[in-house]
Amino acid sequence: MQAKRLNIRTTQAMQFINIDRQLNEIIRESGVQDGLCVIFVPHTTAAVTVNENADPDVVRDLTKEINKIVPFNDSYSHAEGNSAAHIKSSMIGPSITLVIENGRLVYGTWQSLYFCEFDGPRSRSCIVKVCPD
Amino acid sequence: MQAKRLNIRTTQAMQFINIDRQLNEIIRESGVQDGLCVIFVPHTTAAVTVNENADPDVVRDLTKEINKIVPFNDSYSHAEGNSAAHIKSSMIGPSITLVIENGRLVYGTWQSLYFCEFDGPRSRSCIVKVCPD
Amino acid sequence: MQAKRLNIRTTQAMQFINIDRQLNEIIRESGVQDGLCVIFVPHTTAAVTVNENADPDVVRDLTKEINKIVPFNDSYSHAEGNSAAHIKSSMIGPSITLVIENGRLVYGTWQSLYFCEFDGPRSRSCIVKVCPD
């Protein structure tokens, strides 16, 4: 099944954007009841992850702590000045595989998928491939 | 092929549990000889990884070092007090895809799959989807 | 479709090796136009990631910063002395799923796949499974 492109406009340097609504729409339109959903980020300074959608403090803490683990400035060599974003991208990862059941993503109670912007604001995209059983 | 649920009872705050036996049982029962096996954790304070199963010191060092990288307490905002566990979940990741060949998981000599508990002890589950070629 | 093995000879203790050429050859030989490509590393002290292929300083910064986050020596217990490599393997991850479209990997402009050696130099391998739609 043809992969779909999501367009995402980020507005901050670092931002976690819940894209469940768009994913569920793609799955619904595909008509697929059971299968896999692979989300791939075609950028080297962004990523995808699954985490809690209930308390916005979780994403706030995630942002703050990742910036502590990978500081924005740390005598990097890359002249573009966004090495920290490249490192975060590999640490969180640009690809994730989810399970589709009964036409819906299989999630725990509090889970959502987040597009992770590490070098925004930018116009981004996301590849979504639905693979029926 | 219908995804299966594994129930996992963790007994410590942080714990790496080898679930190969259960995975191999699911694959054997499926009768699938070649394909993929996607493992997805429906929790925001747990993860899955592959690492060494021979020397238990490897998992001990992994646990200790992850706790150093993401300290349990670090002026987090999330009121539930388990922000470190959420961050570790995104860092190690809640989804992994393995390869099935001749009815078995393709592993290196010392590899096993570990369910990673970051906020236990709890009753957990794991989604296992076998996708035949 | 039968998974393929890539042999990789690393020459340094820590090294990121671009394996796009080999991946594209496997995909071309498979004749698959659309589907998934799962890359799995059967080693507990190596990983795979996607990152920038244009400026070698990105990989240099990535290497240096990962070594700062997970120091080579940190009172580890594992007697083999390569605990840092095991930890990096779980942090970056031994499995990644890419999308194939029109017989090619779907990448952003600057993306390539890197085999990540964390305990070299060694003779390594990589499992590549092409899954047609």
Side-chain angles (χ1 to χ4, degrees):
Chain A
M1 188 166 287
Q2 182 76 28
K4 300 284 180 189
R5 265 83 181 153
L6 280 183
N7 293 314
I8 298 167
R9 176 77 224 174
T10 64
T11 57
Q12 299 165 40
M14 193 153 159
Q15 194 173 7
F16 286 74
I17 299 178
N18 183 329
I19 59 169
D20 275 348
R21 196 183 50 73
Q22 294 94 315
L23 291 182
N24 279 316
E25 198 175 309
I26 288 175
I27 293 167
R28 194 170 38 76
E29 283 174 0
S30 75
V32 170
Q33 290 301 302
D34 294 279
L36 299 177
C37 180
V38 174
I39 298 110
F40 179 76
V41 172
H43 307 285
T44 55
T45 54
V48 271
T49 195
V50 167
N51 218 308
E52 175 171 330
N53 55 27
D55 177 4
D57 275 342
V58 169
V59 159
R60 214 166 288 140
D61 287 341
L62 190 52
T63 304
K64 219 178 69 177
E65 196 66 16
I66 289 174
N67 286 338
K68 233 170 134 169
I69 296 166
V70 185
F72 278 103
N73 299 303
D74 202 10
S75 315
Y76 301 119
S77 304
H78 181 46
E80 231 188 306
N82 58 357
S83 271
H86 286 285
I87 297 159
K88 292 167 192 172
S89 173
S90 280
M91 187 174 285
I92 303 299
S95 175
I96 198 163
T97 301
L98 306 179
V99 174
I100 301 169
E101 218 170 45
N102 304 317
R104 306 281 302 172
L105 291 170
V106 175
Y107 273 145
T109 317
W110 314 108
Q111 286 183 317
S112 282
L113 194 114
Y114 287 93
F115 178 89
C116 313
E117 172 63 84
F118 296 130
D119 190 38
R122 293 204 196 207
S123 284
R124 298 295 204 172
S125 67
C126 213
I127 312 295
V128 182
K129 187 161 176 87
V130 175
C131 304
D133 273 358
Chain B
M1 188 164 289
Q2 182 76 26
K4 301 284 179 188
R5 265 82 181 154
L6 280 183
N7 293 314
I8 298 168
R9 177 77 225 175
T10 64
T11 56
Q12 299 166 40
M14 193 153 159
Q15 194 173 6
F16 287 74
I17 298 178
N18 183 328
I19 58 169
D20 276 348
R21 196 183 50 73
Q22 294 95 315
L23 290 182
N24 279 316
E25 199 175 308
I26 288 173
I27 293 167
R28 194 168 39 76
E29 283 174 359
S30 76
V32 170
Q33 290 300 301
D34 294 279
L36 300 177
C37 180
V38 174
I39 298 109
F40 179 76
V41 172
H43 306 286
T44 55
T45 54
V48 271
T49 194
V50 168
N51 220 308
E52 175 172 329
N53 55 28
D55 177 5
D57 275 343
V58 169
V59 159
R60 213 166 288 142
D61 287 340
L62 191 53
T63 304
K64 219 178 70 178
E65 196 66 16
I66 289 173
N67 286 337
K68 233 169 134 170
I69 296 166
V70 185
F72 278 104
N73 300 300
D74 203 10
S75 315
Y76 301 119
S77 305
H78 181 45
E80 231 190 306
N82 60 357
S83 270
H86 286 285
I87 296 158
K88 292 168 193 171
S89 174
S90 280
M91 188 174 285
I92 303 299
S95 175
I96 197 164
T97 301
L98 306 178
V99 174
I100 301 169
E101 217 170 45
N102 305 316
R104 306 280 304 169
L105 291 170
V106 175
Y107 274 144
T109 317
W110 313 108
Q111 287 183 316
S112 282
L113 193 114
Y114 287 93
F115 177 89
C116 315
E117 171 64 83
F118 295 130
D119 190 38
R122 294 204 196 205
S123 285
R124 299 294 205 172
S125 67
C126 212
I127 313 294
V128 182
K129 187 162 176 87
V130 174
C131 304
D133 272 359
Chain C
M1 189 166 284
Q2 183 74 28
K4 300 285 181 188
R5 265 82 182 154
L6 280 183
N7 294 313
I8 298 168
R9 176 78 225 175
T10 65
T11 57
Q12 299 166 40
M14 193 153 159
Q15 194 174 5
F16 287 73
I17 299 179
N18 183 329
I19 58 168
D20 275 350
R21 196 183 50 74
Q22 294 96 314
L23 291 182
N24 279 317
E25 200 175 306
I26 287 174
I27 294 166
R28 194 169 38 75
E29 283 174 0
S30 76
V32 169
Q33 290 301 301
D34 294 279
L36 300 177
C37 180
V38 175
I39 298 110
F40 180 77
V41 172
H43 306 285
T44 55
T45 54
V48 271
T49 194
V50 167
N51 219 307
E52 174 170 331
N53 55 27
D55 177 4
D57 275 343
V58 169
V59 160
R60 213 167 288 142
D61 287 339
L62 190 52
T63 304
K64 220 178 68 178
E65 197 66 16
I66 289 174
N67 286 337
K68 233 170 134 169
I69 296 166
V70 185
F72 278 103
N73 299 302
D74 203 10
S75 315
Y76 301 119
S77 306
H78 181 47
E80 231 189 305
N82 60 357
S83 270
H86 286 284
I87 297 159
K88 292 167 192 171
S89 173
S90 279
M91 187 175 285
I92 302 300
S95 175
I96 198 163
T97 301
L98 307 178
V99 174
I100 301 169
E101 216 170 47
N102 305 316
R104 305 282 302 172
L105 291 170
V106 175
Y107 273 144
T109 317
W110 313 108
Q111 286 182 317
S112 282
L113 193 114
Y114 287 92
F115 177 89
C116 313
E117 172 63 84
F118 294 130
D119 190 38
R122 292 204 197 206
S123 285
R124 299 294 204 173
S125 67
C126 212
I127 313 294
V128 182
K129 187 162 177 84
V130 174
C131 304
D133 273 358

